[in-house]
Amino acid sequence: MDERLLAKTFVELADNLVADFDLIDFLRLLTDRCVGMLGASAAGVLLADRDGELRVMAASDEQVRLLELFQLQNDEGPCLDCYRTGAPVAVPDLRTEAARWPRFAARAQLHGFSAVQALPMRLRDEVVGALNLFRAAPGPFDPVGTPLAQALADVATISLLQQRTTQRTTALNEQLQTALNSRVLIEQAKGKLAERQGIDMEQAFTALRSYARAHNRRLSDVARAFIDDTEPLADLVS
C-alpha cells in the first residue's frame, strides 16, 4: 500500500471546510481511493435523504452503480442491512447468501462480484449511509484493509457532519437533498455526452469530472451548462 497516497487521502477527505464543497466529487474520491488502495474491485456509497431513504451517491464505475440501484429497488442486500443496523456486514462468498438475499446475491454474481463488504458511515449513534466494497474473487477480507476502509468511511462521515456544523443555516439533510438533485443533473449530462461522443457512461463521467477540476468548477454546474447548452465547453465537447 502506498503510504503517501493513504496520508494524502485522509487529508483530502478531511479538508472540506471550503465554501464550494462538492459532495458528489468528495464521495467519488472516496470510492476511487478504496479501489486504488484497498484492493476492492469496485466501491459505492449510499447516503440517506431527508426522509431516511437510501440513495446511490457515488460509485467507482457504472456497473456497481447499477448494482447499488438494484439493491435499493429490491430492498435487500448487505448495504441496506449495514445502514439499518449501523454494523459492518462482511460476505466473503456471496454463494452462501442466496437464501438471505436471493435477488441481490444472484445479480451481484452476474455482474462478476463474489464478495462484498458494507461499512457504516456513522458517528456515535448517527448513521448517514454506508460504504460498500465489492470483490471479484471470494475469500476472507484483508485484516489490515478492513480497518483502513472503516477509517476512511469514518473520516468521510465526520467531514459530512462537519459541514452541518460549519454551515449552521443549512442542515445536513438539505445538503444531501441538494446533492441528490445534482446527481440527477450529472446522470443526465453523462447520458447526453455519451450519446454525442459515442463513449460509455463511465468515460462520460470521467470527462465531465476532469473538465470541472481543470476549470475549478463544481461538477453539477458543468453538468447543468452542458445539458442546457448555455456554454460552448470547448475542452469537453469535440
Side-chain angles (χ1 to χ4, degrees):
M1 183 178 297
D2 188 332
E3 294 183 358
R4 289 176 298 179
L5 180 58
L6 179 62
K8 179 183 177 183
T9 300
F10 277 112
V11 170
E12 288 174 320
L13 291 176
D15 185 21
N16 68 325
L17 302 181
V18 292
D20 59 346
F21 175 69
D22 191 326
L23 180 58
I24 300 296
D25 194 53
F26 171 81
L27 294 174
R28 179 58 186 256
L29 171 69
L30 175 61
T31 62
D32 287 351
R33 292 297 168 79
C34 284
V35 172
M37 296 190 306
L38 303 179
S41 301
V45 173
L46 304 180
L47 290 183
D49 63 15
R50 66 181 64 182
D51 299 317
E53 295 295 325
L54 285 177
R55 296 288 185 266
V56 180
M57 296 303 297
S60 59
D61 60 51
E62 185 68 13
Q63 183 171 246
V64 80
R65 187 185 75 86
L66 295 176
L67 179 58
E68 296 278 42
L69 285 172
F70 180 86
Q71 182 174 193
L72 295 178
Q73 290 164 355
N74 287 276
D75 195 33
E76 67 168 49
C79 310
L80 287 167
D81 288 0
C82 175
Y83 170 70
R84 289 166 178 167
T85 64
V89 177
V91 184
D93 192 340
L94 278 166
R95 292 172 297 184
T96 66
E97 302 295 339
R100 186 180 182 186
W101 307 306
R103 288 167 291 188
F104 172 80
R107 180 58 65 96
Q109 292 175 80
L110 185 64
H111 280 272
F113 301 121
S114 298
V116 61
Q117 190 173 30
L119 303 168
M121 297 184 68
R122 65 177 296 170
L123 180 64
R124 300 184 182 91
D125 295 331
E126 185 166 7
V127 183
V128 300
L131 169 65
N132 314 304
L133 308 180
F134 298 86
R135 283 207 334 242
F141 292 96
D142 183 357
V144 175
T146 295
L148 279 177
Q150 185 63 68
L152 291 172
D154 291 345
V155 171
T157 303
I158 292 169
S159 290
L160 291 172
L161 295 175
Q162 183 67 23
Q163 281 293 305
R164 181 176 61 181
T165 301
T166 56
Q167 299 177 1
R168 295 183 183 278
T169 58
T170 303
L172 175 62
N173 285 341
E174 293 177 355
Q175 293 176 30
L176 296 182
Q177 191 62 44
T178 298
L180 287 169
N181 295 337
S182 297
R183 181 80 256 178
V184 172
L185 280 174
I186 293 165
E187 291 302 318
Q188 292 174 343
K190 280 168 53 180
K192 181 177 178 179
L193 183 60
E195 181 179 6
R196 179 175 295 185
Q197 300 287 76
I199 56 180
D200 63 34
M201 296 286 277
E202 185 62 23
Q203 290 172 319
F205 178 84
T206 299
L208 288 164
R209 188 187 190 197
S210 298
Y211 183 94
R213 288 190 164 191
H215 293 81
N216 196 28
R217 297 181 59 182
R218 293 173 63 88
L219 183 56
S220 57
D221 291 342
V222 172
R224 184 185 296 278
F226 178 63
I227 292 170
D228 296 341
D229 287 325
T230 55
E231 299 178 35
L233 302 178
D235 297 340
L236 176 65
V237 182
S238 58

